[in-house]
Amino acid sequence: MVDKDEILRLLQTNFTTSGEISIDNKGLVSCTGGVILNTDVTHLPVQFGDVAGDFYCSYNKKLISLEGAPQVIGGDFWCDYTKLTSLAGAPQKVRDFRCRNNQMLKSLAGGPVEVLGSFFCSQNPLLSSLHGAPASVGRDFWCHTHPKLRSLEGFPAVGDTLHITYKKRLPLLRTLMAKKIEFYPKNLYVWTVEQILNKYAGQGEAAAFECGAELATAGYKENARW
């Protein structure tokens, strides 16, 4: 038997909400506005159904799981600066998705499949590939400052700009699935690489051979890989 009074108490103790709240017979909380987690907890204290606005659980010193997060969300989802080890439980379709600066996050698996706006996954020091990234990102894809990133496997179709840190040994031809490539931070060494990639940006695998040949000729053979 679902104790709706207890669920409401936990909701009011741990979250700030806007709009109307409803609790179904399975104990799932839905909200016509936004939801902010404002206590440090290891797991979400209640289980969510639909959230029409934004869902914010960033800057949580203890959070290790997204289980119970809304699966249907109308706005943005924020889970920056936590102790998450996985994105399992995250909503599968969102506007913007932010999972920056999570020191324990090793993979993007379990995160959203479709991001209508921008996807922010920068500054996750244990991330070594993009496996599990969304299938598509409508606007920008931010994935700079990843010291262990060795592969762009899983890189999605990006509707606008990819922001990434240049590495000499990082295969870069998958970046052609973005309409524009910008290296961060900027420096003179990467200017030539950026110019070559942007010449073929948005053309995907169809332009990989020609772009790869031009990169290799310019002295960037290790980047000229898919």
Side-chain angles (χ1 to χ4, degrees):
M1 189 71 176
V2 173
D3 187 342
K4 294 186 179 182
D5 289 337
E6 176 61 11
I7 293 172
L8 183 59
R9 185 192 69 80
L10 289 171
L11 181 70
Q12 293 173 339
T13 300
N14 294 281
F15 297 89
T16 299
T17 62
S18 61
E20 296 182 2
I21 296 295
S22 62
I23 303 171
D24 69 14
N25 291 330
K26 294 181 180 180
L28 296 178
V29 176
S30 291
C31 178
T32 62
V35 177
I36 299 173
L37 176 64
N38 51 31
T39 57
D40 287 332
V41 290
T42 57
H43 295 75
L44 298 177
V46 301
Q47 310 290 298
F48 288 90
D50 298 355
V51 171
D54 300 336
F55 191 95
Y56 184 97
C57 57
S58 295
Y59 294 93
N60 194 295
K61 300 175 183 178
K62 297 180 180 179
L63 191 67
I64 61 173
S65 172
L66 293 177
E67 295 298 332
Q71 290 304 288
V72 177
I73 184 170
D76 303 339
F77 190 93
W78 298 53
C79 57
D80 310 298
Y81 295 88
T82 70
K83 290 191 175 181
L84 290 173
T85 58
S86 166
L87 296 180
Q92 295 303 286
K93 183 178 180 179
V94 299
R95 190 168 58 191
D96 286 357
F97 188 92
R98 298 171 182 262
C99 58
R100 303 167 303 166
N101 217 313
N102 290 299
Q103 301 298 306
M104 306 299 292
L105 187 66
K106 295 182 179 180
S107 170
L108 300 177
V113 174
E114 182 179 4
V115 175
L116 302 176
S118 297
F119 186 85
F120 302 80
C121 66
S122 298
Q123 298 168 297
N124 291 309
L126 299 184
L127 204 64
S128 59
S129 83
L130 299 180
H131 174 70
S136 64
V137 173
R139 292 201 300 268
D140 291 358
F141 188 98
W142 296 77
C143 65
H144 60 75
T145 322
H146 290 140
K148 292 192 175 183
L149 191 65
R150 298 292 181 269
S151 168
L152 296 187
E153 180 183 357
F155 186 76
V158 176
D160 203 326
T161 304
L162 164 68
H163 304 266
I164 190 169
T165 300
Y166 176 79
K167 291 184 178 182
K168 184 178 179 180
R169 294 179 175 83
L170 183 66
L172 289 176
L173 293 181
R174 289 179 192 262
T175 67
L176 301 182
M177 295 174 66
K179 288 189 176 180
K180 183 179 180 182
I181 298 98
E182 288 190 357
F183 288 116
Y184 177 88
K186 294 281 190 182
N187 62 65
L188 290 175
Y189 181 74
V190 304
W191 186 86
T192 300
V193 184
E194 187 175 283
Q195 293 300 305
I196 294 172
L197 290 173
N198 278 304
K199 180 179 176 180
Y200 301 95
Q203 300 179 48
E205 195 169 0
F209 179 81
E210 193 172 355
C211 181
E214 192 165 337
L215 283 172
T217 299
Y220 300 96
K221 186 176 181 180
E222 291 182 277
N223 298 134
R225 295 174 288 147
W226 185 262

